[in-house]
Amino acid sequence: GWLGMFFGLITWLVYLLLTHKTIVFNYLHKLWERKLLFAGSIIIVLGVVTLGGILLFNKAVHPTHGSIFNSRASLWGPAITAFKQNPIFGQGQFTYGTAFLLEHSAPPSNVYVHSHGLYHNLLGEMGIVGFIAAVTFSIAYFRKFKNNFSQSKEKIYLVGILAYCVSFFIHSIFDSFNVEVALFWPLTILTGVAIAQPVATTKTSSSSRPWWVMILIGFTWFGIWTITPHYQGVALANQTQWQLAFEKFQAAVKRDPSNAVSHQQLALTAAVLAENGD
């Protein structure tokens, strides 16, 4: 997260330097003429860079995660194994959970459904073909973005979106936001806005309103209704209310029999109840 923010800020800095070169150079020239102020500015800049570097280093070796290079080793390993087994097409989308369980026992490990690394996840699940497709799409997207940027009268908003994308994809080295819906939606919306073509505003009559949106709302409600007992069960288990948690997981399994994680949680809760003599 800190690395993502850092590179997002660098994006802004580069843009400001490129678009205000004359102002920046004039300011530096005036500063150079006042040696004492120039020296003081250099000390302040070096101090900020040093403190920022120390902060990033401390975050990179955070004791709850390990170092930046090995903190994801146990999660990246299964993705690398999956890639080696089928490097051309990968194992298929959303198969990382299986790859993880082939190398880790759960329990005691938690079940992870993505590798906490977008690029590892992409290679493990979709192989070289998927990776090339993603790179090709990215190139096509940013060519379109560049064209829109050159014609836009509100470049500052597009720079904000670009900085957001940079932060997103740097952070995604250590996470898989592409399968975290609440984080993927903002990316999808903002990147879509950045390349959208302006259209003429037309008056919408009541007969042409997008009632089909109600179908999406219905599916969303159904999804929330389906998963709610599972989350309630997790909360009750965390409070050691095992009997109530067991009942909630039973309801979750009935509502969504295909949810393997609910079955696993139901079984674990039953094991705890058995251990306690129930």
Side-chain angles (χ1 to χ4, degrees):
W2 283 95
L3 281 175
M5 184 185 75
F6 173 77
F7 281 98
L9 293 174
I10 289 295
T11 304
W12 277 105
L13 181 61
V14 170
Y15 169 74
L16 292 173
L17 289 176
L18 289 176
T19 54
H20 298 83
K21 285 186 289 188
T22 304
I23 296 175
V24 171
F25 282 121
N26 285 340
Y27 176 78
L28 289 176
H29 180 71
K30 292 178 180 178
L31 198 62
W32 175 253
E33 293 175 348
R34 303 174 69 176
K35 305 297 184 183
L36 189 61
L37 187 59
F38 182 79
S41 300
I42 292 294
I43 292 172
I44 291 173
V45 170
L46 289 176
V48 170
V49 170
T50 302
L51 289 173
I54 292 171
L55 177 62
L56 284 172
F57 176 77
N58 287 337
K59 293 298 179 183
V61 294
H62 199 282
T64 63
H65 283 70
S67 80
I68 198 169
F69 297 107
N70 64 22
S71 61
R72 297 297 198 224
S74 62
L75 295 168
W76 289 347
I80 293 171
T81 301
F83 172 70
K84 289 179 178 178
Q85 291 172 347
N86 193 346
I88 304 301
F89 295 106
Q91 302 295 335
Q93 286 184 296
F94 310 115
T95 56
Y96 175 81
T98 300
F100 179 84
L101 289 172
L102 288 172
E103 294 193 12
H104 300 277
S105 174
S109 295
N110 293 320
V111 178
Y112 291 99
V113 295
H114 60 73
S115 67
H116 287 66
L118 185 155
Y119 310 102
H120 289 82
N121 217 71
L122 182 62
L123 286 169
E125 293 188 348
M126 300 181 70
I128 294 172
V129 171
F131 192 84
I132 291 174
V135 171
T136 303
F137 172 81
S138 299
I139 292 172
Y141 174 86
F142 281 106
R143 287 180 65 182
K144 178 68 174 175
F145 178 93
K146 183 180 178 182
N147 182 58
N148 273 28
F149 184 84
S150 64
Q151 300 177 19
S152 176
K153 296 179 181 179
E154 298 178 327
K155 289 182 170 56
I156 199 74
Y157 298 114
L158 295 180
V159 175
I161 293 173
L162 180 63
Y164 173 75
C165 289
V166 171
S167 295
F168 187 100
F169 288 109
I170 291 294
H171 194 161
S172 291
I173 296 172
F174 304 98
D175 219 318
S176 300
F177 287 153
N178 58 310
V179 292
E180 299 288 353
V181 179
L183 297 166
F184 188 56
W185 280 356
L187 176 73
T188 305
I189 293 167
L190 287 173
T191 51
V193 166
I195 62 170
Q197 292 296 324
V199 294
T201 304
T202 57
K203 186 176 180 180
T204 304
S205 64
S206 59
S207 60
S208 63
R209 288 176 181 171
W211 295 109
W212 56 267
V213 172
M214 297 301 295
I215 298 173
L216 300 179
I217 294 172
F219 275 115
T220 301
W221 178 87
F222 179 75
I224 294 171
W225 175 82
T226 300
I227 200 66
T228 294
H230 178 95
Y231 283 109
Q232 291 173 335
V234 171
L236 289 166
N238 287 335
Q239 298 167 16
T240 66
Q241 299 184 45
W242 296 107
Q243 185 58 49
L244 292 174
F246 181 78
E247 294 170 3
K248 290 295 182 181
F249 287 127
Q250 279 185 316
V253 167
K254 288 180 180 178
R255 291 188 184 185
D256 186 5
S258 65
N259 189 335
V261 179
S262 291
H263 283 283
Q264 186 238 18
Q265 294 292 297
L266 176 64
L268 290 176
T269 307
V272 173
L273 288 171
E275 186 179 32
N276 292 339
D278 188 345

